[in-house]
Amino acid sequence: MRRIIFILAVALLLWPTHTLLAQQSWLNDHERGWFWYEVEPEPPEEEEPPSPPPVQPPPPQASAPAPPQPQGPPALSVEWIKDNMEKYKILAIDDPSPQNVAAYMYLQRVMLDKSQRFAEQVTHVVQMDPYLDSGTRRPIATYGGTEFSKEARAAQARLLARIAQQAGIFFFFQKGCGHCEIQAPILKTLEERYSFNIIPISLNGEPLKNNLFPQYVLDRGQARSLQVIQTPALFLGNPNTQKIIPLGQSTLSMDQLEERIITAARDAGWITPEEYNSTLGFNAGMALDLKQGEIPQNLNDKEMVEYIKKLYSERIAPRGARGNSLPNPKTEENCVECQAQSGH
């Protein structure tokens, strides 16, 4: 009971204070009316938190390194075998186990097989291309080669006889020179066969023991002028052009002497290059004479082959195999090989 009375007393004490505060509030702000007409203010908008910075993508991870490529030439290629054959050979010699010896022998067998296939292809390519075929320059068949040599010998004889009409041979000798004694008969044969005029010149003023050239002249400085250092010394001279060409200062056989005379005449311009080629026993006219600076640069493989074939074609097209005009295809009277093959 006492507790209830106490609570009511406290309430009575507080009521005037609350009423007074309410009245003052209404008097000071009566325009707003009663509070239950008032619209509650909206709560202030909360500021949006700043957006987080964009997340950077992780850097791309480096791709896994490519597996190392094998260095050096491909296995079992010629270059590879060349680089490794000696190693396998030494290993097989130092330790001749069945495995080591077999490895070396198999490598050797592979290389031999490669060589065989290469040789077979060479034969095929050469057979299909006349510019590569050696038979185009000189017949491979025995009878064809013999005929070629026979024609060359005849051409050489004709040219030597013609050269003998315009040039003579100076023969420097001295008594007691054994080489001069054996050179003299060869020169005598040359004189009789082609009518060469041989001019013997004695260095010591005495004749040869065999007395083959009794009509000789004395050396009066000619040997020094021509730089003769030993005997026999031979020179080809043309009185019309006053040109003297050395043939040699040693003993020369008949064949060597004839060939040197022909070569000297070509170099002096007394015979043409085509006439000279006709004495060689093969078709030397096909040989290319390449000049640096005239060859196109940066040719690929196909262009290079076509360029070389064109050069061969230009050299042989106007002529036959011996440098003459091509025979009439309707007749075979000038074709020795055709006659032989046909049985005529």
Side-chain angles (χ1 to χ4, degrees):
M1 185 66 181
R2 290 179 180 178
R3 185 176 181 183
I4 296 172
I5 296 172
F6 176 77
I7 293 173
L8 290 174
V10 173
L12 290 173
L13 291 173
L14 294 177
W15 177 81
T17 302
H18 179 266
T19 304
L20 179 61
L21 291 175
Q23 291 175 351
Q24 291 176 351
S25 175
W26 181 86
L27 292 173
N28 292 334
D29 198 15
H30 63 274
E31 295 90 353
R32 294 173 59 189
W34 298 102
F35 66 92
W36 38 271
Y37 287 112
E38 185 176 1
V39 178
E40 292 290 332
E42 296 182 0
E45 295 182 0
E46 296 183 359
E47 295 182 1
E48 295 183 1
S51 58
V55 179
Q56 297 293 334
Q61 296 181 353
S63 58
Q69 298 296 322
Q71 300 296 323
L76 297 184
S77 64
V78 173
E79 188 175 358
W80 186 92
I81 294 176
K82 179 181 176 182
D83 294 342
N84 291 275
M85 178 68 81
E86 190 67 16
K87 178 183 69 176
Y88 281 91
K89 178 181 178 182
I90 293 174
L91 182 62
I93 294 174
D94 285 342
D95 182 13
S97 65
Q99 180 179 353
N100 291 342
V101 172
Y104 170 70
M105 295 303 296
Y106 271 107
L107 285 182
Q108 191 176 59
R109 181 71 265 171
V110 169
M111 192 62 197
L112 291 174
D113 289 344
K114 287 177 177 287
S115 300
Q116 178 181 349
R117 290 196 302 273
F118 172 73
E120 291 172 352
Q121 191 68 358
V122 166
T123 301
H124 173 72
V125 171
V126 167
Q127 178 180 338
M128 301 302 293
D129 194 327
Y131 298 122
L132 297 177
D133 191 353
S134 298
T136 306
R137 303 193 180 205
R138 178 178 173 86
I140 300 175
T142 303
Y143 60 83
T146 301
E147 181 62 23
F148 236 62
S149 298
K150 180 180 177 182
E151 293 177 357
R153 184 65 186 175
Q156 186 181 66
R158 291 193 299 269
L159 289 177
L160 287 169
R162 199 174 84 194
I163 295 169
Q165 296 176 3
Q166 52 184 319
I169 296 176
F170 294 100
F171 171 37
F172 290 89
F173 69 91
Q174 55 185 333
K175 186 177 180 180
C177 169
H179 293 279
C180 299
E181 298 288 342
I182 60 177
Q183 185 69 73
I186 296 174
L187 292 172
K188 199 68 177 178
T189 302
L190 195 69
E191 180 184 50
E192 296 171 352
R193 182 177 297 175
Y194 304 111
S195 301
F196 268 103
N197 184 23
I198 309 297
I199 302 98
I201 303 173
S202 176
L203 297 183
N204 56 11
E206 297 186 41
L208 293 168
K209 290 183 179 180
N210 55 25
N211 203 30
L212 280 180
F213 294 99
Q215 303 299 323
Y216 59 88
V217 298
L218 299 178
D219 175 38
R220 301 187 183 278
Q222 302 95 321
R224 178 180 299 178
S225 176
L226 295 174
Q227 300 182 354
V228 175
I229 61 174
Q230 67 177 17
T231 55
L234 304 174
F235 296 84
L236 185 67
N238 188 329
N240 297 324
T241 62
Q242 299 296 314
K243 192 167 188 176
I244 299 178
I245 305 172
L247 296 177
Q249 299 191 33
S250 62
T251 307
L252 298 176
S253 68
M254 188 65 166
D255 290 341
Q256 291 173 327
L257 190 54
E258 291 174 342
E259 290 174 2
R260 293 193 179 197
I261 292 172
I262 293 290
T263 302
R266 180 203 62 186
D267 295 342
W270 302 339
I271 62 174
T272 65
E274 289 75 17
E275 289 174 327
Y276 171 80
N277 290 339
S278 68
T279 69
L280 298 180
F282 62 92
N283 189 9
M286 285 189 65
L288 297 180
D289 184 16
L290 299 177
K291 300 290 192 305
Q292 295 298 325
E294 299 179 358
I295 305 172
Q297 301 299 311
N298 302 321
L299 298 177
N300 59 36
D301 294 347
K302 182 178 180 180
E303 292 170 341
M304 179 188 66
V305 171
E306 292 302 321
Y307 174 75
I308 296 175
K309 291 179 68 173
K310 179 176 178 293
L311 294 179
Y312 280 125
S313 176
E314 291 172 350
R315 293 187 69 84
I316 200 173
R319 304 182 300 274
R322 297 297 298 166
N324 302 318
S325 59
L326 292 171
N328 189 331
K330 296 182 180 180
T331 64
E332 296 182 349
E333 59 184 11
N334 295 327
C335 178
V336 176
E337 289 187 57
C338 300
Q339 294 174 6
Q341 292 176 0
S342 62
H344 295 168

